[in-house]
Amino acid sequence: MRIAEISTPEHFQAAAAPDSQSPSQNQHSQLLSQIQSKIKQTESHPPGTPLPDSLPSELRQLLTNLTQLAPFPAANNSLKLHLWKLSYRLWNACVDFSNAAAIRSPSSNRSSQNVTKLRHVAADMLSLAVDVVGVPSPAIKSASFYYKTGLAWHDHKIFDLASTCFERATDLLSKLDVSKILDAGERKLLLDLNLARSRTAWEISDKNLALTLLNRSKTLLFGSSAHFKALANQFLAFAKAVLSRNENNGSFNDVLKLLNEALNLCEKGLSISRTREETVEIKELKSKTMRFISAVHLQNGEFESVIKCVKVLRENGGEKGDHHASLPVLAMKAWLGLGRYSEAEQELKGMVVNKGIPEGVWVSAVETYFHAVGNAGVETTKGVFLGLLGRCHVSARAALRVVHRVVGDGNGIEGLRTRGKVVAELASDERVVALFASESVAKERTAMHAVLWSCGSGNFQLKDYETSAEMFEKSMLYIPHDLENRVIRAKGYRVLCLCYLGLTQLDRAQEYINEAEKLDPNIICAFLKFKICLQKNDHCGATNQIQKMISCLDFTPDFLSLAAHEAVASRALPVAVAALSNFLNFYNSGKPMPTTEVVVLRTLVTILSQDLDKEAEVLKFLKQAHKRASELGAESFFGKGEVGRRERNWFAVTSWNFGAKCGKEKNYELCAEFLRLVSGFYSLMGDGQMEENNVTICKSLIMTVSAMIASENQNTTPLPDAEVKHAVELLERAGKILTSLSMGNIEGDIHFIYVLNAYDMHGRLNNLESQHHIVKNFAGTKTCSPQYLLQIGLNASQGPRFNAEVATFALSECLSGFLSSPSPNYQDVALIVRRLIAIASIHKGNTDDDAVLGMYKQAYRIMVGLKEGEYPTDEGKWLAMTAWNRAAIPVRMGEINVAKKWMNAGLELARKVTGMETYQAYMEDYVADFEKKFHTQIAGEIQPQQVQ
C-alpha cells in the first residue's frame, strides 16, 4: 500500500532549510544528500524492469554510515523530519514496483527480494528518527514499516530477516502503554505483529516461542470478535500443520490442545459478537474446528468422542445445524471402528438419499465401508452401489473408484476369488457399462479395463484360471470395437487362450487364439498354437508350428528357446530337439542372440541323453560343437576363464561317457568316434591343468585306437590304410604325452594297452624296428610288470603280427621279472620257457642249436633246488622228453657231440622231475651203451631210441 497521505504538521513540509550548520551537521547533510540522490534514482527507475542489485547495497551502506553518526541531537528535529520524508519516498517507490510487478507479470525472486531489501532500508531509516517531534505515533508508524517488511521476508521464506523485522517492531511497540492505544487499526497492528512473529517462529521450528506468542496475544484481543477469530484461526492453522506432518509420537494431544484453544476463542468471540455477519463467520470457524477435533479423535481411535462431536455439530442450531459433507463420513468411520456395522450402514444409506452430498464423498464412504467390512461386506457394497445407480447420477469415475476398491488386495485366495466374482457382476451390469460408453470418459474406460485386467492377472498368478478367464472376458466389454483397439482386443483373446490352456479346455483355447490371429497375427499367436499342439500330444503338429513361428515377421530366436523349454516340460523331447536345432541355424547370421551357442548345444546333448538309441544324434551335435569351437576359437565359443573351462570339460566328459557306454554295448564304431572327440575338446583350450588334461587326452587317444581295432574284429573288415595311418598318428600323440608325463600320473593298464595297439599298428605297416623300440621302452618304465610283458610276448609270438625278436625280448624280460620275485609263479615260468624254446626253434632252427640248448639248461637251473612238484610236472616231463628227442637227428647225422649234449640235457631234466624214474633208468642205460659203442661203430648204426 502506498503511503501518500500522511497527516503531518506544516513545518514537516519545510524541514529542509536549516540555518547555519555545524561540521557534524555537514556530514549529515552530505549523507542525506547522497541518500536522496539514490532515492531519486530509485523513483526514476522504470517499474516494469528489475532493479539493479547494486542499488539496495549502496543505500544500505549510506544508511550504515549515517547510523554511525546517531543519535541525532534533539535540537536537530529538522534532520529527523527529513529522514522521515526520505523513508516514505523510498517506501512508496517500493510499493510502485510491487504493484507494477503484480499487474504486468510475476517478477523474478531476485528482483522481488531487491524490492524487499529497499523496504528494509526504509524501515531502518525511519527507526533512526523514531523520536521525531511533531509526528503522531511515530513508534507505531515505524513498527508498521518493520511489520510489513517482515511479512515480505516471510513470503520469501527468509525467516531470519523476517524475525529480525518483527523483533524490531516489537521493541518499538513495547515502550508504549497498550491501554492508551485506542485506534482500532493500531490495536490490530499489535495483534497482527504478534501473530506474524509467531508464524515465523513456527517456521524455524521454535514451537515453544510460537505458542508463547499466541498465548501472549490473548492480552491483545481488546474485546474484538475479529481479534478472537484471527487468533482462533492461527491456533487452527498450527493444529492443521501438525496433522499434515503425520506425527504419531504424542502429537495428537498437542493438536487437541491447539484445537481446544481455537474452540474456546470461538466461543468467547461468539459471546461478544455484535453483528450477524460476525456471528456467522465465528460459528463457521467453530464448526470447522470441531470437525478437525472429530478427525483427530478418529485418527487416534477415540470413536466414542467422534460420535459425540458429530452429534453436537448436528444438534447445534436445530434444523440449521452443521450438515457438512464430512460429518456422515466421520460418523460412519467411527461406527465402523466401534464394530457397529448397522449404524455405519445407516450413515452410508443416509448419504445416498442426501443428494446434496458430493459424489466423491459418498464414493469415499463406500470405499471405507467395504475396506472395514471386508469380504463379508462384498455383497452389501455391491447392493449399495447398484442402488446408487438407480437413485442418482453416478459418473464413470465414481464407478471406477468403487470397482477399484472392491478389487483391493483380495485378502487371500478365497477373498480374491469372491471379490473377483462381485467385480465381474458389477462390471458386466448394463448400467455400469453404459457409463463408459461415450468418448468423453475414454480415460476412465481405459482405467476400468486396466483394473479388470489386473484382477484377472492376480487370479491367473494364483492359478485360479476360471475366475481369471471371467475377469478377462469382462474386461473385453471396455474395449471399443474399432480399428485402433484391435491390437488390445487381440491381446485379450490371447490371454483368454492362456486361461483355457490352464483349464485344459483346448478347444476353447483354440477358438480364442484363432480370433486373436484374425485381428493381430504375430509370433505370440503362433507360439500359443504351438503350446496347444503340445498339450494335445500332437508332436508332428508342434514341429510344423515351429516352422510357422520362424516365418512370422516379428519372430525372434527367443521363442525357439521358449518352445524348447515348453517341449521339455511336456516330455516332448523330439520337439525340443527340433526347436533347438532350428535355434542353432541363427548363430551364423551374426545377429545378437539371447543365449550362447555352447549353451544350446549343451542343452541339445542333455535332452538327447535322456532318450534311448540317440547316440548317433548326440555324436552329430558333439562334432558340431567341436567344429564351431575350432572355427570361432575356444574362448569365443566356450567362454573365458573358469566358465569356459567348465563348458569345455563338460563336452569332453560327455564324449568320454558316451564312448564308454558305446564300448559296453559293443558299438565300437561309435565308441571310437566319441573317444576321438575327447582329445579334440581338451586340445582346444590350454589352461593351468595341462598335465591332468594330458592324462585324459592320452587315455582317449589310446582307447580310440582300441575301439577301432575292436570294430575291425567285430565287422571282420580290415581297417583301410588311411585309418591305420590315422591310428598311428593318434598313438604317436599318445606316445609323446606318455613321455612327458610322470609315471605316477598314468595307469599301467593304459600304458600296456598303448603298447599293444602301437605294436599292432606298426606291424600292419611292417615297421618291425618300431615294434621292438616301443616294447623295449615300455620294459624300462615303472609301469611295466612281468604280466604285461608276458601278454606282449605271447601276442608277438603268435598271430599275423609275429615278431620273434620282440617276443624273445619280452618273454626274456618277463622271465627275469618272475624269477626275481620272492615267490615266482612257476606255472607262468614254465609257459615262458616253453614259448621261448618254441620261438628259438622256429626263428633260429638248426642254425643256432646252442641257443635252444641254452634255454633247456636255463630251465634246468631254474628247477635246481625246487621242492618236489613246485615246478609243474607236466612241463618238466615235456622239457626232459623234448630235450632227449632232439638228440635223434644229430645221431642220424653223425653229430655225436651234439647228440651227447641233448641226451645229457634230457637226462638231467628227467632227474629233476617226479614220476620219470622209469624214463630216467632207460635214459641212463642208453647213454652208457652209447658211450661204449660210439668209438667202434659208425654213426649210422647207433641211433638213440626216442622217448615216447
Side-chain angles (χ1 to χ4, degrees), residues 732 735 739 751 754-755 758-759 762 767-781 789 792 803 805-807 809-810:
E732 286 178 354
T739 304
H751 203 163
Y754 161 75
V755 174
Y759 177 85
H762 282 289
N767 194 345
L768 304 182
E769 184 179 350
S770 295
Q771 285 181 314
H772 185 264
H773 179 71
I774 290 167
V775 174
K776 186 176 181 180
N777 286 343
F778 176 62
T781 63
L789 290 172
I792 294 170
N803 188 324
E805 185 178 357
V806 171
F809 171 79

Side-chain angles (χ1 to χ4, degrees), residues 905-924:
L907 180 57
E908 288 176 353
L909 288 167
R911 289 170 180 168
K912 296 295 181 182
V913 180
T914 305
M916 292 193 71
E917 289 80 4
T918 303
Y919 292 100
Q920 180 182 341
Y922 169 79
M923 290 177 181
E924 289 174 347

Side-chain angles (χ1 to χ4, degrees), residues 14 18 30 81 97 144 247 297 305 307 370 426 433 510 552 602 747 784 786 840 859 879:
Q30 291 176 3
L81 288 172
F97 286 126
S144 174
E247 298 175 358
H297 284 308
S305 299
I307 298 299
F370 178 75
L426 284 173
V433 175
Q510 187 76 51
C552 291
R602 171 160 49 80
E747 299 171 10
C784 181
L879 287 171

Side-chain angles (χ1 to χ4, degrees), residues 761-933:
M761 291 300 157
H762 282 289
R764 293 170 192 251
L765 299 176
N766 202 26
N767 194 345
L768 304 182
E769 184 179 350
S770 295
Q771 285 181 314
H772 185 264
H773 179 71
I774 290 167
V775 174
K776 186 176 181 180
N777 286 343
F778 176 62
T781 63
K782 294 181 181 180
T783 58
C784 181
S785 69
Q787 287 293 343
Y788 291 152
L789 290 172
L790 175 60
Q791 292 296 324
I792 294 170
L794 294 175
N795 191 53
S797 64
Q798 61 191 10
R801 311 284 182 263
F802 177 76
N803 188 324
E805 185 178 357
V806 171
T808 302
F809 171 79
L811 291 173
S812 298
E813 290 293 321
C814 175
L815 182 60
S816 299
F818 279 138
L819 294 176
S820 64
S821 67
S823 55
N825 185 341
Y826 287 102
Q827 188 69 43
D828 290 339
V829 170
L831 174 62
I832 294 169
V833 170
R834 179 185 282 219
R835 187 55 60 91
L836 282 171
I837 291 171
I839 293 170
S841 300
I842 296 170
H843 182 56
K844 297 183 179 180
N846 296 327
T847 59
D848 192 359
D849 199 49
D850 289 341
V852 179
L853 181 60
M855 292 303 305
Y856 280 92
K857 288 183 177 181
Q858 185 177 4
Y860 172 76
R861 288 193 295 273
I862 292 170
M863 296 170 68
V864 171
L866 296 181
K867 298 177 182 179
E868 183 178 337
E870 193 170 358
Y871 195 91
T873 302
D874 292 343
E875 291 295 326
K877 289 180 179 181
W878 182 85
L879 287 171
M881 290 179 180
T882 54
W884 179 265
N885 291 338
R886 283 179 180 275
I889 294 174
V891 168
R892 290 192 187 101
M893 300 297 294
E895 297 176 352
I896 305 302
N897 290 331
V898 175
K900 287 177 66 177
K901 290 179 183 179
W902 284 112
M903 285 188 288
N904 288 335
L907 180 57
E908 288 176 353
L909 288 167
R911 289 170 180 168
K912 296 295 181 182
V913 180
T914 305
M916 292 193 71
E917 289 80 4
T918 303
Y919 292 100
Q920 180 182 341
Y922 169 79
M923 290 177 181
E924 289 174 347
D925 292 342
Y926 189 88
V927 170
D929 291 341
F930 183 79
E931 290 287 345
K932 292 177 182 179
K933 297 178 180 180

